[in-house]
Amino acid sequence: MDKTTTGWLSGFLGVLIFSGSLPATRVAVADFDPVFLTAARGTIAGLIALALLVALRERRPDRDDLVSLVIVSLGVVVGFPLLTAIALQHMTSAHSIVFIGLLPLATAIFGVLRGGERPRPAFWAFSCLGSALVVGFAISQGVSAAPLGDALMLAAIIVCGLGYAEGGRLSRKLGGWQVISWALVLSLPVMALVALLTSPATLAGIGGPAWIGLAYVSLFSMLIGFVFWYRGLALGGIAAVGQLQLLQPFFGLALAALLLHEEVNVAMIVVTVAIVACVAGARKFAR
């Protein structure tokens, strides 16, 4: 199996794991404060990452890598989890999942700015079309009904795209699981302190689904998914493999309907199908 194929397969597994993130977050914020949830998931994943790095005696990153690791931490350890957790207090996970359609474009842009990639013009045409479909859908559903939630989701997409591209670039040097592990460890002291300060006064009112949601976003969304995702970006190209994120709405909408019993209307499905058609064209001209 060649490097590009391996990268695409690894990226696909990462997307599959990430697809459960927003539904799991939606369940968790029903009982947990968004700030605590963000800090708790970072703390749990950070402790596991620290144990792995120590057990495997991984070499410390060079000083030149610290800026990139800080960007990764701010983007995917703090920024995206916190912004989406707050946003999901104002919208359903099914609605928020459609915004994930903007992630490939954001990742590709930062892949050019930070990773030095140069996709062909046709790539940008397909990516922009997909993004336009997402924005058009949000407006058609009534942005005024949840303007704060939509704004937070857009901000989350921007910081996440930067964190993805930066992590993918650094993974070429350090390795995928090493990048997310060091980023988690770097943010661990702050995350642990915030988790302690914002922890619930009592755990009596925390339901089982919220604990399951916390476990999923801590283990899978915050650590395991990134092991596959960053490896895929490093091997297959940030802009190219990043287009796989357009498959995430399919999986996420299915999970929202099956597990949370949220309504998935015809418009959501049509937009998702159209977006996936765009990714097929974007992939062809990614390099």
Side-chain angles (χ1 to χ4, degrees):
M1 187 180 298
D2 60 53
K3 185 175 71 172
T4 300
T5 302
T6 301
W8 277 88
L9 289 176
S10 184
F12 177 80
L13 289 174
V15 167
L16 193 60
I17 292 171
F18 289 152
S19 297
S21 297
L22 292 179
T25 300
R26 173 70 174 174
V27 170
V29 295
D31 292 336
F32 288 119
D33 176 79
V35 176
F36 170 75
L37 178 64
T38 301
R41 66 188 279 182
T43 300
I44 294 170
L47 290 172
I48 296 173
L50 178 60
L52 287 173
L53 291 169
V54 172
L56 298 176
R57 299 180 180 180
E58 283 294 314
R59 182 178 64 85
R60 292 184 181 181
D62 296 332
R63 182 174 298 181
D64 295 340
D65 299 328
L66 292 180
V67 173
S68 292
L69 288 172
V70 168
I71 292 175
V72 173
S73 295
L74 292 176
V76 303
V77 178
V78 180
F80 184 77
L82 179 60
L83 291 169
T84 53
I86 298 175
L88 285 167
Q89 292 186 316
H90 303 277
M91 61 172 64
T92 67
S93 63
H95 182 75
S96 67
I97 284 168
V98 182
F99 279 84
I100 299 301
L102 291 169
L103 256 179
L105 180 59
T107 303
I109 291 173
F110 286 116
V112 170
L113 296 176
R114 298 294 301 172
E117 298 190 355
R118 294 293 183 270
R120 284 182 276 177
F123 167 86
W124 297 109
F126 280 109
S127 292
C128 288
L129 177 59
S131 298
L133 288 170
V134 175
V135 174
F137 171 80
I139 294 174
S140 70
Q141 295 297 297
V143 174
S144 59
L148 178 58
D150 288 338
L152 289 169
M153 281 303 301
L154 287 173
I157 294 305
I158 293 172
V159 299
C160 189
L162 175 58
Y164 279 173
E166 194 69 24
R169 185 186 68 83
L170 191 57
S171 293
R172 297 167 184 165
K173 176 182 177 182
L174 299 181
W177 78 268
Q178 291 91 337
V179 167
I180 189 60
S181 293
W182 284 117
L184 285 165
V185 169
L186 188 64
S187 61
L188 180 57
V190 174
M191 293 300 237
L193 178 61
V194 173
L196 181 63
L197 294 176
T198 60
S199 60
T202 176
L203 300 179
I206 309 299
W211 287 112
I212 294 174
L214 173 60
Y216 188 93
V217 297
S218 300
L219 299 176
F220 292 93
S221 305
M222 199 76 269
L223 183 59
I224 297 175
F226 278 104
V227 173
F228 294 104
W229 183 240
Y230 278 152
R231 184 169 184 263
L233 293 177
L235 294 177
I238 295 170
V241 175
Q243 299 307 300
L244 283 170
Q245 294 165 104
L246 286 175
L247 296 175
Q248 191 168 328
F250 268 131
F251 303 129
L253 290 174
L255 288 172
L258 292 174
L259 301 180
L260 305 183
H261 306 293
E262 294 183 356
E263 179 184 1
V264 178
N265 56 42
V266 175
M268 290 180 182
I269 297 175
V270 170
V271 170
T272 302
V273 171
I275 288 172
V276 172
C278 288
V279 75
R283 178 188 173 185
K284 182 178 180 180
F285 298 102
R287 292 186 177 184

